[in-house]
Amino acid sequence: MRMSHHFGETLRAAPGDADVVGHQLLLRAGYIRPLAAGIFSYLPLGLRAMRNIEAIIRQEIEAIGGQEVSMPVVHPAEVWRETGRWQEIGEEMARFKDRAGRDMALAMTHEEVVADLVRREVHSYRQLPMLIYQIQTKFRDERRPRAGLIRVREFTMKDSYSLDADDEGLATQYARHLEAYHRIFQRVGLPNVIAVCSDTGMMGGKIAHEFMYLTEIGEDTLALCDACGASANLQVASFRKPAAVPEALRPLEKVATPGTTSIESLAAFLGVPAERTAKAVFFTASLPDPEPKAAGASRDALLMALVRGDMDVNETKLANASGARSLRPATEAEIRAAGAVPGYASPIGMDRANAIVVIDDLVAASPNLVSGANEEGFHYLNVNAGRDYAPDATADIASAWEGAPCLECGAPLRLVRGVEVGNIFQLGTRYTEAMGATFLDAEGQARPVVMGSYGIGIGRLLACLAEAHHDDRGLTLPAAVAPHSVHLVRLCDKDPQVEAAAEELYAALIEAGVDALYDDRDAMAGVKFADADLIGIPLRVTVSARALKAGGAELKRRAETETRIVPLNEVMEVVSRQ
């Protein structure tokens, strides 16, 4: 490709709203351009890099038996209604009606479509196991797109789906994906990727892992144990809780505690440790409407979460325990409407008509805690779950912290940030049972196909590579991903010999099938070299009068500072070894 006709300019500075370095460089180098919040165009350089990533993914998924398909990006509501997710998923699903008034949706994932295909195409256990995959556009109406391609609304994803006769087969395909994903991230050159246990979320199923690129720009927090290797997303991370000390239940006693609206002030006033108190945290929960009038319909309820005073509430665990679709902090007015008093709240005396109380399992096991009296300036001593109030649910809803004891070995946990670049789910029969996707086993009995789902975000992977591979001059993408193999630069010396040598070398590269970007523009040497560094192609070959006089062309690797002269008749040999 000649840069004189290349579509997409380099920028001297990134737009002011580009808040991470990788995004800034992808914009400045002319890889991507924004159209709207979380929606991007991929220019030739960006698309070529994406295609290189996709080629590696195809090779690895097909190496474990994957067959490529292509499924629609527009789905009829009926298949989503069959699994219940049409009603369960909220505003992140983009819904619309076609001209006939039928409910439709833009694909945010394809489990329902796969299950529909399976019930049409799979009939016998002899056809199983199978693995299908696609690389397809999806849309999720994210509330807060951020960091360029890190969190978008429209995105390209590789999603594969395993089909098995039983859980043992699913476990085998799941393990193969685990290994294939590690190979993919190694081949594209993304460092510091680990697999951690994760929340199954809207996908359902019992087991899930996320592949996390460890980076400070990550929006996920991970809990890692360096002693035994345990790892999990903080959303689901468990930790070793102290055993509650058993003691006789003492009578409930109201005491004056003026000005003690925080656990710290309460503990100091009463002279008790924070672990002897109960912390009440209020949310407004969006719950599925038992009689929905529209897709995604929900009702709001006040949700009180109780953890021990020395701990914090984990919102993901709480949402799972309560069945909430989403949570937001409750307002003071919402708290008071249920008869609770902010800073002095507990379940005792609350109006529970439209309120849910979920308590941590350690609170349930801890006797004689200090808790609010729902009266300004007063707390209760000796509050006991079960005797003094009945929770709606008891679960592990406490969040791990830096140094919390590992559930497996008791060593201190380390918290780090990460970006999710892939995920795998053991779905089981969650979708096939709902949609009647069955096969006949060896005894002639109909059984639901056992499914797994496995995703990699292509654009997000490119964004993480830009974060991992850059310097103060621009991108330094690995050769496996870079949009071209060679950046050929002709300096504008107005010298016919230079032009002829550069053109001849470019023609030889093209004939040999080498992906070359040829800077044939009438621009200063400094501009060309700056653009070459910014774009980040692994090898730069410069043809100039000075290089020819020195005996050939100047070669420079993007990641190095030194240059060397190689005879023109040896350039192709050097390039072929890249």
Side-chain angles (χ1 to χ4, degrees):
M1 170 55 66
R2 295 174 181 269
M3 286 191 70
S4 57
H5 299 290
H6 176 71
F7 188 81
E9 295 182 325
T10 56
L11 308 175
R12 297 280 71 85
D17 59 351
D19 55 353
V20 298
V21 174
H23 183 209
Q24 294 169 1
L25 292 175
L26 288 173
L27 289 169
R28 288 185 55 210
Y31 281 59
I32 60 174
R33 291 290 184 263
L35 176 64
I39 301 175
F40 289 86
S41 295
Y42 296 87
L43 303 189
L45 292 175
L47 188 59
R48 291 176 73 91
M50 294 268 283
R51 292 290 182 260
N52 289 336
I53 294 171
E54 291 171 9
I56 291 171
I57 290 174
R58 281 189 169 92
Q59 290 168 11
E60 292 295 342
I61 298 302
E62 291 183 4
I64 60 172
Q67 304 175 67
E68 187 168 7
V69 299
S70 180
M71 292 177 278
V73 73
V74 174
H75 299 174
E78 283 73 21
V79 292
W80 289 80
R81 287 192 176 107
E82 286 185 74
T83 63
R85 290 207 297 178
W86 183 261
Q87 292 78 21
E88 294 168 2
I89 295 174
E91 294 178 348
E92 62 269 33
M93 176 183 279
R95 298 173 170 88
F96 65 98
K97 291 184 182 294
D98 66 11
R99 66 174 60 198
R102 292 182 289 256
D103 287 324
M104 311 290 285
L106 294 182
M108 54 192 300
T109 184
H110 277 78
E111 285 73 26
E112 280 80 1
V113 178
V114 170
D116 179 70
L117 287 172
V118 168
R119 65 184 170 187
R120 300 169 188 267
E121 306 296 331
V122 177
H123 311 292
S124 168
Y125 72 97
R126 294 185 178 89
Q127 296 173 267
L128 301 173
M130 285 195 288
L131 174 63
I132 60 174
Y133 80 97
Q134 66 170 351
I135 296 176
Q136 175 64 282
T137 300
K138 291 177 168 53
F139 186 88
R140 295 183 188 179
D141 199 2
E142 294 281 358
R143 185 185 300 274
R144 297 182 184 88
R146 65 173 291 272
L149 301 181
I150 296 291
R151 181 161 294 281
V152 293
R153 295 193 290 162
E154 181 185 283
F155 55 98
T156 301
M157 175 176 279
K158 184 289 300 178
D159 46 323
S160 50
Y161 302 88
S162 61
L163 310 172
D164 286 280
D166 51 35
D167 290 338
E168 184 178 352
L170 170 60
T172 298
Q173 297 219 57
Y174 193 83
R176 287 174 182 166
H177 272 85
L178 196 70
E179 295 170 359
Y181 274 32
H182 282 302
R183 290 194 297 270
I184 288 167
F185 298 129
Q186 183 178 24
R187 288 184 61 186
V188 300
L190 188 64
N192 301 324
V193 176
I194 63 172
V196 303
C197 296
S198 63
D199 182 38
T200 57
M202 71 168 188
M203 300 289 287
K206 295 181 179 179
I207 299 176
H209 285 81
E210 292 170 336
F211 291 80
M212 289 287 183
Y213 163 53
L214 304 184
T215 171
E216 286 302 314
I217 70 161
E219 58 187 359
D220 285 282
T221 300
L222 316 174
L224 310 180
C225 179
D226 295 325
C228 71
S231 61
N233 193 306
L234 187 63
Q235 294 176 331
V236 298
S238 296
F239 57 95
R240 187 174 294 180
K241 294 178 180 177
V245 178
E247 57 184 54
L249 303 190
R250 295 194 289 270
L252 196 65
E253 179 183 352
K254 183 190 286 188
V255 295
T257 53
T260 59
T261 56
S262 69
I263 293 295
E264 293 76 12
S265 59
L266 175 64
F269 182 85
L270 293 177
V272 299
E275 58 262 29
R276 297 290 298 184
T277 69
K279 179 191 294 183
V281 185
F282 287 92
F283 299 89
T284 295
S286 176
L287 301 171
D289 193 332
E291 298 179 2
K293 298 179 177 60
S298 61
R299 65 180 181 88
D300 287 347
L302 185 69
L303 175 57
M304 171 190 274
L306 278 181
V307 293
R308 215 171 66 169
D310 58 337
M311 298 179 182
D312 291 315
V313 173
N314 181 308
E315 291 189 27
T316 300
K317 292 181 181 180
L318 178 61
N320 290 337
S322 63
R325 288 178 179 164
S326 62
L327 300 173
R328 65 166 174 80
T331 65
E332 182 175 338
E334 289 170 328
I335 296 170
R336 291 189 181 278
V341 177
Y344 300 91
S346 78
I348 301 174
M350 269 183 60
D351 179 3
R352 303 278 289 275
N354 192 40
I356 298 170
V357 174
V358 179
I359 68 172
D360 185 63
D361 49 12
L362 186 55
V363 169
S366 299
N368 302 320
L369 296 179
V370 178
S371 192
N374 281 322
E375 183 178 343
E376 203 81 28
F378 288 89
H379 280 80
Y380 282 121
L381 307 181
N382 307 323
V383 175
N384 290 275
R387 185 194 70 178
D388 301 315
Y389 65 90
D392 295 290
T394 299
D396 171 21
I397 60 169
S399 187
W401 64 92
E402 183 79 28
C406 171
L407 182 65
E408 301 298 327
C409 70
L413 294 174
R414 176 168 57 96
L415 301 188
V416 298
R417 306 292 292 176
V419 172
E420 179 192 344
V421 289
N423 51 51
I424 56 178
F425 299 88
Q426 291 192 16
L427 301 176
T429 59
R430 156 84 169 85
Y431 297 90
T432 52
E433 218 165 13
M435 297 183 66
T438 61
F439 68 96
L440 295 181
D441 64 16
E443 285 72 44
Q445 298 297 312
R447 294 170 51 195
V449 173
V450 181
M451 279 180 57
S453 177
Y454 317 86
I456 292 180
I458 312 295
R460 182 179 289 185
L461 190 48
L462 176 61
C464 290
L465 285 165
E467 286 293 328
H469 297 281
H470 69 265
D471 58 21
D472 57 357
R473 301 189 307 277
L475 296 168
T476 60
L477 294 178
V481 172
H484 296 275
S485 302
V486 176
H487 197 143
L488 176 61
V489 177
R490 185 193 76 205
L491 296 190
C492 301
D493 299 331
K494 304 298 183 183
D495 185 331
Q497 185 181 3
V498 172
E499 183 172 354
E503 291 289 338
E504 184 178 344
L505 182 54
Y506 180 55
L509 290 168
I510 297 302
E511 185 177 354
V514 175
D515 247 345
L517 181 62
Y518 177 25
D519 194 344
D520 61 337
R521 297 174 298 169
D522 184 12
M524 300 294 291
V527 171
K528 292 191 172 190
F529 289 154
D531 281 351
D533 284 343
L534 182 58
I535 292 169
I537 292 170
L539 182 65
R540 189 182 78 201
V541 178
T542 303
V543 179
S544 66
R546 186 175 68 175
L548 290 178
K549 186 176 180 179
E554 179 186 87
L555 267 65
K556 178 184 178 297
R557 297 187 185 280
R558 174 63 184 85
E560 300 174 356
T561 57
E562 294 183 0
T563 63
R564 62 190 176 108
I565 300 297
V566 174
L568 286 176
N569 62 359
E570 296 179 14
V571 170
M572 292 300 299
E573 181 184 351
V574 174
V575 168
S576 67
R577 294 200 299 264
Q578 303 307 307

